[in-house]
Amino acid sequence: EDSKASRDSEYYTSFEESDKVATISEERTGELKKLARDPQIYEKLKDSLAPSIFEMEDVKKGILCQLFGGTNKKFEKSQRDSFRGEINVLLCGDPGVSKSQLLKYVHKLAPRGIYTSGKGSSAVGLTAYVTKDPATGEMVLESGALVLSDRGICCIDEFDKMSESTRSILHEVMEQQTVSIAKAGIVCTLNARTSILASANPVGSRYDIGKSVVANINLMPTILSRFDLIYLILDNPSQAHDRRLAKHLISMYFKDVKKAPKAVIPLDVLADYISYARMNVHPKISEEAADELISSYVDMRKLGQQGGRRNVVTATTRQLESLIRLSEALAKMTFSDTVTRENVKEATRLINVATQTAATDPNTGIIDMDLITTGQSSGDRQRLEKIADALREVLESKSKRTNIPIGNLIKTLNENSDKPVSKRDLVSVVLPGLEEEGFLAYNRKKEIVRAL
């Protein structure tokens, strides 16, 4: 790629290595500013993003926020080097709900970005790899997908198919926005200020609403908690919705082209609009917006205390930082220099629609952020603690040298419990915990337990 190559050359690219997008003409700038003054610009931008994809309005609004991004901030007095402005979005749901189509469209629209698939990506392919220069014979560092998409968007399809070692690379990128390399005598830290748009399919290719997000997707809670927005896109049969969807799809193949869905804003104008906003618009939080941010965060936390419940975390400081980033992105859409109260309210709504829906405990219907941050809800923890207490009582009633098969233990526990005790809970959580305490000895091969 060479920004100085002729436009007809295959090596031509529209961005400089300094991360600045190709300059926009004064005439186009005037057109973009006129467009920004339209009171319906938010809806028009949403309708212009992937018009061929049916409905999914809140998902499109979330992706729009990702395209515009928040404001990267550096404060001299702060101990932190920088505050991340990039927004990460995860699309999770059933097959055939146009997740990959959305990713392809965003990759085409984003001023800078890389599209990759989870199955075909390796750790070095995402970060950087060392190779020998054929001319000099010296070791050189070649950039991977995340480094190449610096200041842009990295679209990762089939995120759930990615190997665990490859996925662990994303921890640093999604929070610190850097890639640290120590290979073949080359030690360096590369910038990876990229937004990540990922799509994942549930285990067994069908989302089970009776299970949590962590149980449905084969992803670690540490990765899930780094996404600002997590959208569940489910394929629920509905005659009215199915009819509207069928009409929409057929209109795209129909002979009457006039009826086919068209973007309100042309693709090239939309790309320039996003580029101009990212380069020139850096909104600051107003006093009324700051008050609204505080009250919104407190209200989100209050949900965990309703009905006499305790220790249920419905929002963390990560959600507060996500609120700030989304509010700034919404202000950028109107080329506004300040974040307003309305921007914060819309950002709160987007988080409630997306992430808090994903964090709802299927057993209780309560929003519990622990599902995403730790993989277990507070209700599950309490239930497992009760099982552990019941197991202690059973083992204390037996002699210490008696070996008890796990099957017999489960049968005994189920006789004295209101809720069924599964072998998975006992083997994966309760027994290892009591073994660490030194209360029992657990033989995994023979599946027997002995009290100590």
Side-chain angles (χ1 to χ4, degrees):
E1 291 179 338
D2 183 7
S3 60
K4 295 178 182 176
S6 64
R7 190 174 285 271
D8 300 329
S9 169
E10 62 177 314
Y11 300 108
Y12 174 77
T13 183
S14 61
F15 57 82
E16 299 278 354
E17 284 301 314
S18 60
D19 297 335
K20 290 184 179 178
V21 184
T23 54
I24 299 168
S25 66
E26 289 184 12
E27 185 182 347
R28 177 54 68 88
T29 303
E31 185 185 342
L32 298 177
K33 286 181 178 177
K34 184 181 176 182
L35 196 61
R37 288 193 291 270
D38 188 338
Q40 297 295 319
I41 184 62
Y42 185 39
E43 293 298 321
K44 286 185 177 180
L45 287 169
K46 180 259 298 177
D47 293 336
S48 303
L49 181 70
S52 60
I53 295 173
F54 183 66
E55 292 185 353
M56 294 172 64
E57 295 184 355
D58 286 323
V59 178
K60 290 181 182 180
K61 285 177 179 177
I63 292 173
L64 263 179
C65 289
Q66 183 182 37
L67 283 164
F68 282 88
T71 307
N72 287 308
K73 295 168 281 293
K74 283 193 175 183
F75 301 121
E76 292 179 4
K77 293 180 182 178
S78 174
Q79 295 298 316
R80 282 173 64 174
D81 292 335
S82 61
F83 288 78
R84 172 166 67 93
E86 282 73 25
I87 296 167
N88 301 315
V89 179
L90 174 66
L91 308 178
C92 167
D94 299 323
V97 290
S98 67
K99 299 189 299 293
S100 299
Q101 292 296 320
L102 267 172
L103 263 68
K104 287 278 188 184
Y105 191 90
V106 170
H107 172 247
K108 185 168 64 173
L109 179 63
R112 186 174 190 174
I114 300 289
Y115 180 91
T116 182
S117 176
K119 194 72 174 173
S121 301
S122 63
V124 290
L126 285 177
T127 54
Y129 62 94
V130 176
T131 183
K132 261 189 180 178
D133 191 322
T136 62
E138 293 181 356
M139 303 300 279
V140 293
L141 202 63
E142 294 286 346
S143 300
L146 292 169
V147 180
L148 288 172
S149 55
D150 183 40
R151 298 283 193 195
I153 293 181
C154 185
C155 302
I156 306 175
D157 204 358
E158 304 290 344
F159 194 60
D160 54 306
K161 308 291 191 302
M162 194 178 278
S163 67
E164 196 58 47
S165 59
T166 308
R167 224 181 281 146
S168 63
I169 296 292
L170 297 171
H171 284 88
E172 183 188 359
V173 174
M174 292 176 77
E175 206 58 55
Q176 277 74 46
Q177 304 277 280
T178 55
V179 171
S180 301
I181 302 293
K183 295 176 182 177
I186 300 173
V187 180
C188 63
T189 301
L190 305 173
N191 281 327
R193 296 157 294 186
T194 176
S195 301
I196 291 178
L197 176 61
S199 73
N201 287 326
V203 176
S205 294
R206 183 61 62 181
Y207 195 90
D208 185 354
I209 56 172
K211 294 180 181 176
S212 67
V213 181
V214 177
N216 269 291
I217 319 170
N218 187 24
L219 292 177
M220 291 290 287
T222 48
I223 284 282
L224 270 180
S225 63
R226 282 169 164 77
F227 284 100
D228 297 278
L229 295 171
I230 302 171
Y231 285 103
L232 299 183
I233 310 172
L234 308 182
D235 185 11
N236 296 320
S238 164
Q239 190 172 350
H241 179 269
D242 294 344
R243 186 176 293 278
R244 291 200 309 275
L245 175 59
K247 281 183 179 178
H248 174 83
L249 278 172
I250 289 166
S251 70
M252 292 161 56
Y253 298 93
F254 202 61
K255 290 180 181 178
D256 189 0
V257 184
K258 292 179 182 177
K259 290 185 180 179
K262 290 182 180 178
V264 180
I265 303 170
L267 183 64
D268 57 335
V269 178
L270 182 58
D272 285 347
Y273 192 92
I274 293 167
S275 299
Y276 183 86
R278 288 178 71 98
M279 286 170 60
N280 301 298
V281 184
H282 307 288
K284 294 181 180 178
I285 297 170
S286 63
E287 195 171 333
E288 62 168 14
D291 292 339
E292 185 65 31
L293 278 166
I294 293 165
S295 61
S296 296
Y297 176 66
V298 171
D299 288 344
M300 287 163 77
R301 295 276 293 185
K302 269 185 193 173
L303 291 171
Q305 308 303 321
Q306 290 177 2
R309 297 190 302 269
R310 291 182 180 180
N311 302 325
V312 178
V313 179
T314 51
T316 65
T317 46
R318 272 189 173 155
Q319 274 68 56
L320 179 57
E321 290 197 336
S322 297
L323 267 179
I324 295 169
R325 284 190 283 270
L326 290 168
S327 302
E328 289 171 344
L330 289 161
K332 277 187 177 184
M333 291 182 200
T334 56
F335 290 0
S336 173
D337 292 329
T338 55
V339 178
T340 63
R341 189 185 292 271
E342 285 68 32
N343 295 145
V344 178
K345 286 181 178 177
E346 175 62 13
T348 308
R349 191 191 68 81
L350 287 172
I351 282 193
N352 289 336
V353 166
T355 310
Q356 291 207 334
T357 305
T360 302
D361 187 346
N363 297 319
T364 61
I366 298 166
I367 296 168
D368 190 350
M369 288 308 296
D370 283 357
L371 271 175
I372 291 176
T373 53
T374 66
Q376 259 185 5
S377 68
S378 59
D380 282 341
R381 278 200 303 276
Q382 290 172 8
R383 183 175 58 82
L384 292 170
E385 283 171 10
K386 286 180 180 177
I387 294 172
D389 292 340
L391 186 59
R392 282 193 185 96
E393 290 179 9
V394 170
L395 291 175
E396 281 171 357
S397 64
K398 306 282 184 182
S399 61
K400 290 189 176 180
R401 294 184 179 182
T402 307
N403 291 327
I404 309 168
I406 286 177
N408 293 357
L409 267 181
I410 294 170
K411 188 179 178 182
T412 308
L413 289 169
N414 280 326
E415 285 173 359
N416 302 319
S417 174
D418 299 333
K419 293 182 179 179
V421 177
S422 67
K423 184 180 178 181
R424 182 183 173 187
D425 288 340
L426 200 66
V427 170
S428 61
V429 182
V430 178
L431 290 177
L434 292 175
E435 192 177 25
E436 281 182 16
E437 290 177 18
F439 187 79
L440 55 81
Y442 171 38
N443 189 323
R444 286 165 177 76
K445 285 185 179 180
K446 295 182 179 179
E447 291 194 339
I448 54 173
V449 175
R450 177 168 53 85
L452 296 176

